[in-house]
């Protein structure tokens, strides 16, 4: 059985716009999250779902990315 880990990542947060790209210890936050998820033995694959090309461009360097529509409910 394949289990997919899906990480939602929005740029347009009201409290902290751009949070997924905020650098922590030399890496964007979204990369730290993806790396931890990839350590989960139960997940076959990790995918970042975003409606923002800035996040997608960064995330494609280390993870599969699927684009969503900006009008999806949060």
């Amino acid at each position: 059985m394949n289990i997919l880990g899906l990480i939602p990542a929005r740029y347009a947060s009201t409290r902290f716009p751009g949070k997924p790209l905020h650098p922590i210890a030399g890496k964007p936050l979204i990369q730290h999250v993806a790396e931890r998820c990839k350590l989960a033995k139960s997940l076959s694959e990790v995918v970042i779902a975003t409606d923002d090309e800035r996040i997608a461009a960064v995330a494609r360097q280390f993870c599969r990315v699927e684009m969503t529509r900006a009008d999806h409910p949060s």
Side-chain angles (χ1 to χ4, degrees), residues 1-6 36-46:
M1 175 168 57
N2 291 327
I3 299 174
L4 179 72
L6 187 63
R36 295 311 175 274
C37 289
K38 287 179 179 182
L39 294 175
K41 293 177 177 27
S42 61
L43 297 179
S44 304
E45 185 176 10
V46 174

Side-chain angles (χ1 to χ4, degrees):
M1 175 168 57
N2 291 327
I3 299 174
L4 179 72
L6 187 63
I7 304 168
R10 294 181 53 238
Y11 192 91
S13 168
T14 55
R15 291 186 297 160
F16 189 169
K19 181 178 179 178
L21 299 180
H22 185 74
I24 299 173
K27 297 180 193 176
L29 174 62
I30 193 71
Q31 185 172 354
H32 286 281
V33 174
E35 288 173 354
R36 295 311 175 274
C37 289
K38 287 179 179 182
L39 294 175
K41 293 177 177 27
S42 61
L43 297 179
S44 304
E45 185 176 10
V46 174
V47 178
I48 294 173
T50 186
D51 66 344
D52 191 272
E53 188 54 45
R54 293 168 286 193
I55 294 172
V58 170
R60 284 186 188 109
Q61 297 174 38
F62 53 84
C63 194
R64 178 177 148 197
V65 174
E66 291 294 332
M67 295 301 292
T68 62
R69 294 191 332 248
D71 64 342
H72 283 155
S74 61

